[in-house]
Amino acid sequence: MAGAGVRARAVRAKNYGRQVPLPVAVRDRLGELFPDSEFAQAFGATGPAGWSPGRLALVTVFQMAENLTDRQAAEALRDRLSWAYALGLELTDTGFDFTVLSQFRTRVVEHGLEEKVLDLLLARLVEQGLLKAGGKQRTDSTHVLSAVRA
């Protein structure tokens, strides 16, 4: 895809000689963290096309990391090249209405998937050797989702 190559070159040029933003580091080091198939029970294949639940999960992680409101997170997605890069979006992607994030979180909770994002993230960190398996520290993703919801 030509857009992905242009986006990657632009991100590298903008961050040349300095530490890359968290979304860029996540994409470069961890790749796709949240495949849509992991959310299939809450987001079926039928009905109108919407935003990928895997992408919305990643937006929620970045939102929490930067302490952003839903409105600010939706705006960051439109304005920040690093977020578009991390989410694999075309430069022309217009993003989504901020209310989509609340709807996403509600659906995740309704289907008991509150820990799915954290479990997938921890598994990838262990796989990459960035976290030891079986460690004693663990964050309950329910608190993460609750904090973002508030």
Side-chain angles (χ1 to χ4, degrees):
M1 169 187 308
V6 169
R7 188 177 50 249
R9 284 192 305 278
V11 164
R12 280 170 188 47
K14 285 193 165 289
N15 293 290
Y16 182 76
R18 64 187 182 110
Q19 185 174 354
V20 297
L22 176 65
V24 174
V26 166
R27 173 69 178 223
D28 286 350
R29 183 74 190 253
L30 303 177
E32 182 185 18
L33 280 174
F34 311 118
D36 289 344
S37 60
E38 295 290 340
F39 301 92
Q41 75 185 67
F43 301 89
T46 60
W51 255 70
S52 153
R55 282 181 172 160
L56 290 173
L58 192 53
V59 168
T60 302
V61 169
F62 295 152
Q63 177 184 15
M64 186 68 186
E66 296 188 26
N67 195 29
L68 301 176
T69 65
D70 287 353
R71 191 179 300 266
Q72 290 169 326
E75 198 59 36
L77 180 67
R78 283 188 283 280
D79 289 347
R80 297 185 191 171
L81 184 60
S82 62
W83 281 43
Y85 173 75
L87 292 159
L89 301 176
E90 293 295 327
L91 295 175
T92 56
D93 196 297
T94 58
F96 55 80
D97 186 85
F98 72 96
T99 59
V100 169
L101 288 171
S102 176
Q103 294 166 3
F104 169 73
R105 288 189 304 271
T106 298
R107 214 159 175 174
V108 164
V109 170
E110 285 174 351
H111 288 85
L113 296 172
E114 298 94 334
E115 293 189 22
K116 180 61 73 176
V117 171
L118 184 61
D119 290 343
L120 291 169
L121 177 59
L122 289 174
R124 185 62 60 87
L125 291 173
V126 168
E127 176 185 300
Q128 292 288 318
L130 299 171
L131 190 65
K132 283 186 179 180
K136 292 186 180 198
Q137 292 184 341
R138 169 109 182 189
T139 301
D140 181 1
S141 64
T142 306
H143 299 297
V144 173
L145 287 171
S146 295
V148 172
R149 176 175 274 173

